[in-house]
């Protein structure tokens, strides 16, 4: 029987790469987006794979719970759905800015985890997508975004500790600069990243997906509670 994976925020970028990568590795993947139209391109491009739409807004907790409960057994949850915004000075950050980012990136991760573990057995895993900005404070991103990713790191460790007794592993992948639409908010040309990243290139969605696929595999069955940086050397140590 195929393993079942749920990938949130799967319509493009890193989430799309993760969904396709897991499906290519034998998973039946439930790919989440706020509406099915957002998934059309990805579903058409991967028609030979077992990828199914799962529609909800990560901030609508009732729809999250209902969607997760409709699946049944879950072997892997990838929390990727995220929000960002252009960098603002502290004085310019609004309550709505804060709530939108935190509700999506931190609150959303917690509650879908809470609902999903009811359908998980020993051997299942959770992979959270964080960001190097949680450690650096992010010169090019907003304070709410950095704070939300720091919360994800702490959530990863706390959940890993609690769920270890149930045989469920929880880890986070922390990308550096990756070539996605979100990168445009940073206001830098792509050649900028080739100069500042030690390995000399911008990250690609598949670079992140490959680590997620590894963490979801049996090869990682003794790894939990880890925040794994995938950033071309942008953050070391």
């Amino acid at each position: 029987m195929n393993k079942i994976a749920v990938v949130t925020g799967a319509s493009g970028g890193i989430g799309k790469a993760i969904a396709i990568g897991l499906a290519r590795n034998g998973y039946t993947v439930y790919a989440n987006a706020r509406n099915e139209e957002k998934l059309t391109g990805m579903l058409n491009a991967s028609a030979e794979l077992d990828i199914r739409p799962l529609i909800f807004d990560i901030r609508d907790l009732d729809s999250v719970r209902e969607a997760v409960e409709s699946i049944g057994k879950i072997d892997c949850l990838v929390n990727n759905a995220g929000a960002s915004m252009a960098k603002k000075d502290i004085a310019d950050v609004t309550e709505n800015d804060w709530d939108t980012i935190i509700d999506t990136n931190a609150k959303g991760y917690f509650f879908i985890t809470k609902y999903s573990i009811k359908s998980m057995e020993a051997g299942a895993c959770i992979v959270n997508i964080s960001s190097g900005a949680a450690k650096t404070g992010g010169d090019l991103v907003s304070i709410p975004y950095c704070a939300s990713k720091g919360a994800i790191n702490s959530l990863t460790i706390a959940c890993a500790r609690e769920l270890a007794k149930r045989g469920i592993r929880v880890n986070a992948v922390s990308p550096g600069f990756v070539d996605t639409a979100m990168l445009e908010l940073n206001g830098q040309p792509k050649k900028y990243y080739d100069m500042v990243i030690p390995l000399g290139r911008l990250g690609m969605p598949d670079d992140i997906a490959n680590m997620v696929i590894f963490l979801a595999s049996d090869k990682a069955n003794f790894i939990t509670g880890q925040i794994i940086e995938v950033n071309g050397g942008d953050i070391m140590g």
Side-chain angles (χ1 to χ4, degrees), residues 83-96:
S84 187
M85 67 181 201
K87 186 174 179 63
K88 292 184 177 181
D89 289 338
I90 291 176
D92 297 326
V93 174
T94 68
E95 183 177 5
N96 184 64

Side-chain angles (χ1 to χ4, degrees), residues 88-236:
K88 292 184 177 181
D89 289 338
I90 291 176
D92 297 326
V93 174
T94 68
E95 183 177 5
N96 184 64
D97 292 334
W98 180 268
D99 289 347
T100 298
I101 301 299
I102 298 297
D103 283 357
T104 303
N105 297 359
K107 184 178 178 180
Y109 275 39
F110 172 77
F111 279 96
I112 191 170
T113 296
K114 173 184 175 178
Y115 300 141
S116 295
I117 60 175
K118 296 177 183 178
S119 302
M120 289 182 166
E121 300 174 354
C125 68
I126 299 167
V127 182
N128 296 323
I129 304 301
S130 182
S131 169
K135 292 185 177 180
T136 67
D139 291 336
L140 303 176
V141 293
S142 67
I143 288 175
Y145 180 81
C146 296
S148 72
K149 294 300 184 175
I152 288 168
N153 288 356
S154 295
L155 176 68
T156 298
I157 296 167
C159 287
R161 189 168 294 279
E162 179 166 335
L163 296 176
K165 61 181 175 289
R166 294 176 52 175
I168 299 172
R169 298 181 297 107
V170 187
N171 293 288
V173 176
S174 180
F177 297 115
V178 178
D179 191 3
T180 68
M182 192 176 288
L183 197 71
E184 296 174 6
L185 294 174
N186 294 353
Q188 298 291 335
K190 289 185 179 180
K191 63 182 180 181
Y192 164 83
Y193 302 101
D194 296 341
M195 294 184 291
V196 300
I197 296 172
L199 286 183
R201 69 169 176 88
L202 192 58
M204 301 303 292
D206 282 344
D207 293 321
I208 311 306
N210 288 339
M211 179 55 70
V212 173
I213 293 163
F214 168 71
L215 290 172
S217 74
D218 291 340
K219 294 178 181 179
N221 63 14
F222 200 54
I223 300 174
T224 196
Q226 303 304 307
I227 316 298
I228 301 175
E229 303 289 343
V230 181
N231 56 39
D234 186 50
I235 300 173
M236 296 187 182

